[in-house]
Amino acid sequence: MSSQSVHKKRKRETKPPPVPAQPDGPDLISQLPDWILHSILSLVPVKDAARTSVLSSRWRHLWKDVPLRLDDDSFNPNNRRPYDDRYYHVVSDPWLDWSRKVVSSIFYSHHGPIESLRLSLFYPFKMDRFVETAVQRGIRELNLVPFDFGRDTFKLPLSLLFCNTLHQLSLRRCTFPQALLPSIFPKLRELRLDSVPLPDDLLSRCGSLETLQISNYCQPISITSQSLRKIVYDLVSSRAELIIKDAPNLESLMLANEVTIHSKVKVLDAPKLQRLGFINANVGAIQLGRTLIERHEESLISLPPTFLVNETPCRMNLLSSVKTLAIKMERYFEMTLPTILKCFPCLENLDIMKYEGNGDDCYLNKGMWEEEGSLSFLDHLKTVIVKGFWGDQCDVELLRYLVVHGKVLQAITLLCSKHITKKFVDIKKRQICIENRASSNLALVFFRDTKENVHFSLWNDMIYY
């Protein structure tokens, strides 16, 4: 190889000298005012905000003054809930112990106000100090779920009842103090209770409470509140009883669609109630104003059941304020629907959820709807949605009645439980007598019923599949 070629090869293999590193520029972010850095840190999870303390001495304590939003479940690896099935005892778990230490360290190192706090990894006897500290530092949203698998409950400290910054409170397996003063929770807007005993007159003592959600509670509940606007109640528990005794500002009452034959629902005085559902005939008693519908005791286990309809003294005659009504149509209970609808003379939106099945079991007397004549709610009814439509005799009789007498009816949406074909649609339109509709603006629409269907979204949170 010639010397010239060797020289060219060496020249190709020679690398250029490295470029000297440029000196780092000024830390412009750290030069921002504290209030801007606090705003930035408030947009990230608390565990990420705490990590910024290692950046420099400038950042070491910044996160401690940012409004705290702490959820201990975000530190729980894989949502661990270890226990021994054989003895039903909670067993030691090093990961959970580590999570508890980290949460405690963040909580007690922080000096700023507390926006929200959720505790679900701590035993009841460990939660007192957390709650007391949160009250002192202006807690706004508090969620307490004692970590003890239902064996022990957490008794709320008295200081929480007088917290004037608390707006939202969620409790599970907790108890209220026995002695309650005339006024508690001065600024509380929303209260959620799961497996929590509700003391008498507690609601009437909460002067700012607007939303109440109750689940997994078996004892009778009587609602008396001047401020409540919305109630969400889970009636799945056996022998549940809900009585709306005096709620002058109540606008929405939402009940789970699954109930037992021992449940009772009574709406006695709610003059501003606009949204009600699910009304279910499969209960021991339903009282809507003065109309009381009771299931006959001898028919609790017999099919088809029998119902007694009576008038009982009540301040409200009819529920004239209700504009939107949801009904769960159980098998064998179609005959109660006319009586229920008579209680809502100004109804505008009717949502019906049918029972599961092929619709062959229909105990509706043929011609029953026509015997009722034109009920007063038909002068106001605008929309109807039927979820679980099969097209059986009961469905057809009801829809034909609504189509022929609904003077201002605008839309009927049928969420079908079976495959939709053109032949099926044409047959049902003919049976329903769509050509004889009283409203020229009426549209009849068929959709395939799915859990993702948005047409019934108003009630999705109350449906148990």
Side-chain angles (χ1 to χ4, degrees):
M1 182 179 296
S2 64
S3 59
Q4 186 176 2
S5 61
V6 172
H7 177 71
K8 290 182 179 180
K9 183 177 181 181
R10 288 178 179 174
K11 187 175 181 180
R12 288 195 300 267
E13 293 176 354
T14 302
K15 296 181 179 179
V19 178
Q22 297 292 329
D24 293 336
D27 185 1
L28 298 179
I29 295 181
S30 296
Q31 294 180 13
L32 294 173
D34 284 359
W35 68 271
I36 294 181
L37 296 178
H38 288 160
S39 298
I40 295 173
L41 291 176
S42 67
L43 301 176
V44 299
V46 62
K47 56 184 178 182
D48 295 329
R51 290 191 181 110
T52 63
S53 62
V54 302
L55 295 178
S56 67
S57 59
R58 172 80 171 87
W59 289 80
R60 185 169 300 162
H61 302 292
L62 279 174
W63 73 275
K64 297 181 181 179
D65 297 320
V66 176
L68 182 64
R69 290 189 290 269
L70 181 58
D71 183 351
D72 65 358
D73 228 17
S74 63
F75 297 86
N76 183 9
N78 301 322
N79 195 26
R80 300 168 75 91
R81 289 290 190 275
Y83 59 89
D84 188 333
D85 288 327
R86 184 175 49 180
Y87 298 105
Y88 204 66
H89 290 164
V90 178
V91 298
S92 177
D93 187 301
W95 281 105
L96 284 176
D97 293 338
W98 173 86
S99 299
R100 294 183 181 114
K101 291 179 181 178
V102 172
V103 171
S104 299
S105 176
I106 291 177
F107 182 80
Y108 292 113
S109 299
H110 191 272
H111 305 309
I114 301 179
E115 185 73 21
S116 64
L117 174 64
R118 183 178 189 274
L119 298 178
S120 62
L121 302 181
F122 293 86
Y123 296 101
F125 61 88
K126 291 285 189 179
M127 299 176 71
D128 272 299
R129 187 184 171 196
F130 278 98
V131 176
E132 295 282 0
T133 303
V135 170
Q136 295 171 8
R137 287 161 54 189
I139 182 72
R140 292 176 60 87
E141 299 178 8
L142 182 60
N143 189 331
L144 301 178
V145 184
F147 183 91
D148 209 4
F149 297 94
R151 293 180 300 167
D152 292 329
T153 59
F154 173 63
K155 185 176 181 180
L156 300 178
L158 278 173
S159 60
L160 182 63
L161 275 62
F162 308 116
C163 181
N164 58 10
T165 60
L166 187 63
H167 286 189
Q168 185 182 107
L169 179 61
S170 300
L171 304 174
R172 183 177 183 185
R173 298 197 310 273
C174 298
T175 57
F176 290 93
Q178 292 184 353
L180 297 178
L181 295 181
S183 178
I184 58 176
F185 296 123
K187 297 295 181 61
L188 189 64
R189 297 286 186 270
E190 184 173 345
L191 178 61
R192 300 178 181 177
L193 305 177
D194 184 352
S195 306
V196 176
L198 189 64
D200 295 337
D201 299 331
L202 181 140
L203 299 178
S204 62
R205 301 170 191 264
C206 303
S208 301
L209 188 63
E210 296 180 354
T211 301
L212 173 65
Q213 182 172 337
I214 302 176
S215 58
N216 297 319
Y217 186 61
C218 301
Q219 300 302 318
I221 297 178
S222 179
I223 302 294
T224 299
S225 172
Q226 301 297 309
S227 59
L228 266 180
R229 296 182 179 276
K230 180 179 179 180
I231 297 176
V232 180
Y233 186 52
D234 183 353
L235 279 167
V236 175
S237 302
S238 176
R239 298 187 181 278
E241 182 175 355
L242 176 65
I243 303 174
I244 308 299
K245 186 176 181 180
D246 184 14
N249 291 299
L250 185 64
E251 298 174 355
S252 177
L253 175 57
M254 304 185 72
L255 311 171
N257 71 303
E258 294 293 342
V259 297
T260 69
I261 59 177
H262 300 289
S263 303
K264 296 180 180 180
V265 180
K266 298 182 179 181
V267 183
L268 306 183
D269 191 5
K272 294 184 180 180
L273 186 63
Q274 297 183 17
R275 180 188 302 170
L276 175 60
F278 282 90
I279 292 296
N280 195 326
N282 188 25
V283 295
I286 304 175
Q287 184 171 344
L288 304 170
R290 293 183 181 178
T291 303
L292 176 62
I293 307 172
E294 293 181 293
R295 184 165 177 163
H296 199 278
E297 292 185 1
E298 296 180 356
S299 66
L300 290 178
I301 58 175
S302 63
L303 295 175
T306 57
F307 293 89
L308 302 176
V309 180
N310 298 301
E311 285 198 2
T312 183
C314 181
R315 186 182 302 178
M316 287 197 315
N317 183 13
L318 300 172
L319 278 68
S320 303
S321 61
V322 175
K323 306 298 182 184
T324 301
L325 175 68
I327 295 178
K328 174 68 180 295
M329 289 294 296
E330 295 282 357
R331 188 178 281 111
Y332 313 116
F333 301 107
E334 293 85 354
M335 68 283 290
T336 64
L337 189 54
T339 302
I340 292 176
L341 291 177
K342 289 177 182 178
C343 300
F344 305 95
C346 299
L347 188 64
E348 295 181 0
N349 308 294
L350 175 61
D351 299 336
I352 300 176
M353 183 176 181
K354 294 293 297 294
Y355 53 80
E356 295 181 1
N358 59 10
D360 292 337
D361 299 321
C362 180
Y363 281 76
L364 182 68
N365 296 326
K366 191 172 182 179
M368 180 194 71
W369 283 106
E370 293 304 325
E371 294 175 359
E372 296 291 338
S374 181
L375 298 179
S376 57
F377 79 94
L378 292 169
D379 294 334
H380 306 274
L381 188 65
K382 297 179 180 179
T383 67
V384 177
I385 301 177
V386 181
K387 180 179 177 62
F389 178 76
W390 280 94
D392 57 21
Q393 177 192 347
C394 294
D395 293 339
V396 170
E397 292 276 351
L398 170 60
L399 292 177
R400 183 192 300 133
Y401 175 77
L402 298 177
V403 166
V404 173
H405 296 280
K407 302 178 182 62
V408 296
L409 196 57
Q410 298 175 0
I412 297 179
T413 303
L414 304 179
L415 308 180
C416 303
S417 296
K418 60 190 301 182
H419 183 66
I420 303 174
T421 63
K422 185 179 184 303
K423 180 180 179 181
F424 174 77
V425 172
D426 291 340
I427 292 175
K428 295 309 163 186
K429 283 185 175 180
R430 185 171 62 254
Q431 293 177 342
I432 294 171
C433 299
I434 192 65
E435 298 297 331
N436 297 331
R437 57 184 180 270
S439 172
S440 58
N441 297 323
L442 174 61
L444 181 63
V445 186
F446 292 77
F447 287 100
R448 185 75 169 92
D449 187 18
T450 63
K451 291 184 180 180
E452 294 77 20
N453 202 304
V454 298
H455 296 86
F456 223 68
S457 58
L458 177 63
W459 310 99
N460 278 353
D461 291 340
M462 305 308 301
I463 296 176
Y464 292 81
Y465 289 98

